Amino acid sequence: MGLSTNNKAIIMAVFIAFGGFLFGYDMGVISGCLIMPDFIDRFGQGPAGARVLTSSRQSIITSLLSAGTFVGSLCQAFTSDSLGRRGSLLFWSAIFTAGVAIQTATNTSLVQLVIGRFIAGLGVGAMSAIVPLYNGETVPKRIRGALLVVYQIQVISGIFISYVIELGSHNLNNSGSWRIPVGLQMVWGLVLLSGMFFLPESPRHLLGTGCREQAVQVVAQMNSVDVDDPLVTEIIEELEYGIKAENEGGKAGWLECFSTRNKLWFRTINGIMLQAIQQLNGQNFYYYYGDTFFKSAGTTLSPYSIQTILGAVSVVGTVPALYLIEYWGRRDSLLIGAALEAVCAIVAGFVGHFTLAPTGTPVSELTARNKAGGDTLIAFAVLHVFSFSLSWGPTPWVYLGESFPLRVRSKCIALGSASNWIWNFLLSFFSPRIAARIGPLVLLIFAGVLIFGFVYVWLCIPETKGLQLEEVDEMYRANVKPWKSYGWRPHLFDRTDALHHEKDVSAESGSVEVREDADKMEEKSA
């Protein structure tokens, strides 16, 4: 089934991934606001006309969104199962839009600003978990990896667009400098909110709740075929067989995510660890505090220009991941990315430490060595961000979206997303304090995490490229070693004897011959 025949699935997945755009835009927009004179004058400390945003206030303003995302990513597990994937997206996009409205309406109240960011964070965190859950359950498997990458492309695109808007708005000498870029988030939220009314529910959720006819229609729509097409029948039967096998033992609670059954504990820990390592790659340090950090580099470019360049590099770097996620696979993408990023972080950290002038040094007093060091640091920062966009940006979300059985999928993805956001919160809260003490050497901390990440991926992360979600479950049951997972092939649907009973019932009604269907299953597996 080629890409051209899955255009409906592609359009749907791209639109759903717009939830990532909301997060990326907010993450980028707050970075620029922190150095806008009007924003500092309204929310900083000190006498009028000489106020400053202390590192503690920067931390609170930046990190409260991440605190909200942590809570939202966990809460969506309840709404995703009760309201469905589609209904849950509707609910949380409305929460996000309300949070943005609260932020935009504030005048000088820091409390109102951070409450609005927390509420918006609830929506962002929930959508960050639902998007890979929805897309992973809905799109055809051969394009699933690429379309899950679209989520990260939307995140990066949101960051880039926020930089471009602030590049123009920061010159305004009034509250419009920050209200315009912040308030535009309401438009983005309403776009997602309105579009959700036209999108289908996840077929796996529909089958899991007994809505078979609706699931058949969604599968037909996503594969651009008629409901009576043999492909639809085959996919539905495979899903039903897999769901039945997954759900043996009844409905699972949160503790089931860490059970030894089918190595669920191992899969959940992998999801949590990948999301944690992703946040501690170092790239978010540039996104959140790059404007402030690069002032000490002595470059002739404005901080807004540098951030816009970083945003553009991120977008350009993520686009090849649409291809590399299937060419390299999930495992090699993470290994290659960790190695490249570690080198960049080490070089940038040491060059910055030994060549940059102290923070606050006037540009006129910078030496040629200081300027050359600043240019080198920025160059390796760009390479770092580019390498992240190729690998660790999208791949952990892909892995999270395709690693868990249906009965605990929303809960396991919630735990992985919560890990992402709690580390995002800790990073945004503590980074300015750590950087204020050790400067560019903070990048060596990220380098250490990346080296650890390389080892962890080699030992613990199997290759899931090309596998149906139910086949991933089989791979873990087979105890395949991660470093031997490249050549593993599933046998789940070879078990024609398990299908014979269902086929016999079907044959009695005159629908199909048992032997022909068994042969088809064997041919498909081969």
Side-chain angles (χ1 to χ4, degrees), residues 42-55:
R42 290 172 185 270
F43 304 109
Q45 288 178 306
R51 293 184 176 177
V52 295
L53 269 180
T54 61
S55 59

Side-chain angles (χ1 to χ4, degrees), residues 205-221:
H205 179 75
L206 290 171
L207 287 173
T209 53
C211 303
R212 192 179 192 279
E213 290 185 5
Q214 291 175 258
V216 169
Q217 292 174 354
V218 173
V219 169
Q221 181 182 357

Side-chain angles (χ1 to χ4, degrees), residues 108-119:
T108 57
S109 172
L110 179 65
V111 173
Q112 182 177 340
L113 177 70
V114 297
I115 288 176
R117 285 184 60 74
F118 179 82
I119 293 173

Side-chain angles (χ1 to χ4, degrees), residues 246-247 250 252 256 261-262 264 405-409 411:
E246 288 175 351
N247 289 334
E256 178 71 13
R261 185 172 183 263
N262 297 347
L264 275 176
L406 179 68
R407 72 178 180 280
V408 290
R409 186 167 294 142
K411 293 180 176 64

Side-chain angles (χ1 to χ4, degrees), residues 160-449:
F160 175 62
I161 294 299
S162 73
Y163 291 160
V164 171
I165 291 172
E166 286 186 330
L167 189 60
S169 72
H170 82 277
N171 291 316
L172 299 175
N173 295 319
N174 51 46
S175 65
S177 59
W178 59 271
R179 284 190 201 274
I180 290 173
V182 170
L184 273 174
Q185 293 175 100
M186 284 188 285
V187 177
W188 314 142
L190 289 172
V191 168
L192 183 63
L193 186 63
S194 59
M196 282 308 303
F197 287 100
F198 304 97
L199 294 177
E201 181 54 85
S202 156
R204 281 180 174 83
H205 179 75
L206 290 171
L207 287 173
T209 53
C211 303
R212 192 179 192 279
E213 290 185 5
Q214 291 175 258
V216 169
Q217 292 174 354
V218 173
V219 169
Q221 181 182 357
M222 291 303 100
N223 288 275
S224 301
V225 296
D226 295 329
V227 292
D228 56 354
D229 191 284
L231 175 65
V232 175
T233 303
E234 179 183 346
I235 292 174
I236 289 294
E237 288 176 347
E238 289 180 356
L239 292 178
E240 287 179 326
Y241 179 80
I243 289 170
K244 181 180 178 180
E246 288 175 351
N247 289 334
E248 288 177 357
K251 199 83 172 176
W254 286 91
L255 288 178
E256 178 71 13
C257 299
F258 297 96
S259 75
T260 56
R261 185 172 183 263
N262 297 347
K263 296 188 72 174
L264 275 176
W265 68 272
F266 183 65
R267 296 148 77 171
T268 301
I269 293 298
N270 276 351
I272 290 172
M273 289 298 296
L274 286 184
Q275 293 293 326
I277 296 169
Q278 186 209 53
Q279 284 303 305
L280 296 175
N281 265 222
Q283 83 297 330
N284 277 0
F285 179 76
Y286 298 123
Y287 293 152
Y288 279 133
Y289 302 107
D291 290 341
T292 305
F293 187 65
F294 288 129
K295 279 184 176 180
S296 62
T299 178
T300 56
L301 295 173
S302 73
Y304 291 100
S305 298
I306 294 172
Q307 288 291 71
T308 303
I309 291 171
L310 285 177
V313 168
S314 297
V315 174
V316 171
T318 307
V319 171
L322 288 166
Y323 170 75
L324 294 175
I325 195 69
E326 299 297 346
Y327 180 74
W328 282 347
R330 286 59 160 152
R331 180 177 162 87
D332 284 351
S333 291
L334 294 171
L335 291 172
I336 293 170
L340 292 175
E341 289 179 66
V343 171
C344 292
I346 291 171
V347 173
F350 279 122
V351 168
H353 176 71
F354 288 110
T355 65
L356 290 188
T359 302
T361 302
V363 176
S364 59
E365 297 179 14
L366 295 177
T367 66
R369 175 183 171 85
N370 297 148
K371 293 178 180 178
D375 291 340
T376 302
L377 185 148
I378 291 171
F380 276 91
V382 168
L383 289 174
H384 188 153
V385 170
F386 182 82
S387 300
F388 172 83
S389 300
L390 283 176
S391 55
W392 279 87
T395 308
W397 292 111
V398 174
Y399 185 86
L400 200 61
E402 61 185 17
S403 295
F404 306 106
L406 179 68
R407 72 178 180 280
V408 290
R409 186 167 294 142
S410 63
K411 293 180 176 64
C412 290
I413 289 179
L415 290 170
S417 298
S419 169
N420 183 290
W421 297 120
I422 192 64
W423 284 105
N424 187 296
F425 167 76
L426 293 172
L427 177 72
S428 60
F429 189 82
F430 288 109
S431 283
R433 292 169 168 79
I434 297 173
R437 294 186 175 223
I438 64 175
L441 287 180
V442 69
L443 294 171
L444 298 186
I445 298 175
F446 301 129
V449 173

Side-chain angles (χ1 to χ4, degrees), residues 60 92 143 155 283 346 383 514:
I60 291 171
W92 291 110
I143 58 173
V155 172
Q283 83 297 330
I346 291 171
L383 289 174
V514 177

Side-chain angles (χ1 to χ4, degrees), residues 26 31 57 141 156 232 281 297 302 364 369 383 405 451 493:
D26 188 276
S31 171
R57 288 209 168 195
K141 68 177 182 180
I156 298 302
V232 175
N281 265 222
S302 73
S364 59
R369 175 183 171 85
L383 289 174
I451 293 171
F493 300 119

Side-chain angles (χ1 to χ4, degrees), residues 16 63 250 271 279 288 439 496 506 524:
I16 290 296
S63 62
Q279 284 303 305
Y288 279 133
T496 56
S506 159
K524 185 175 81 68

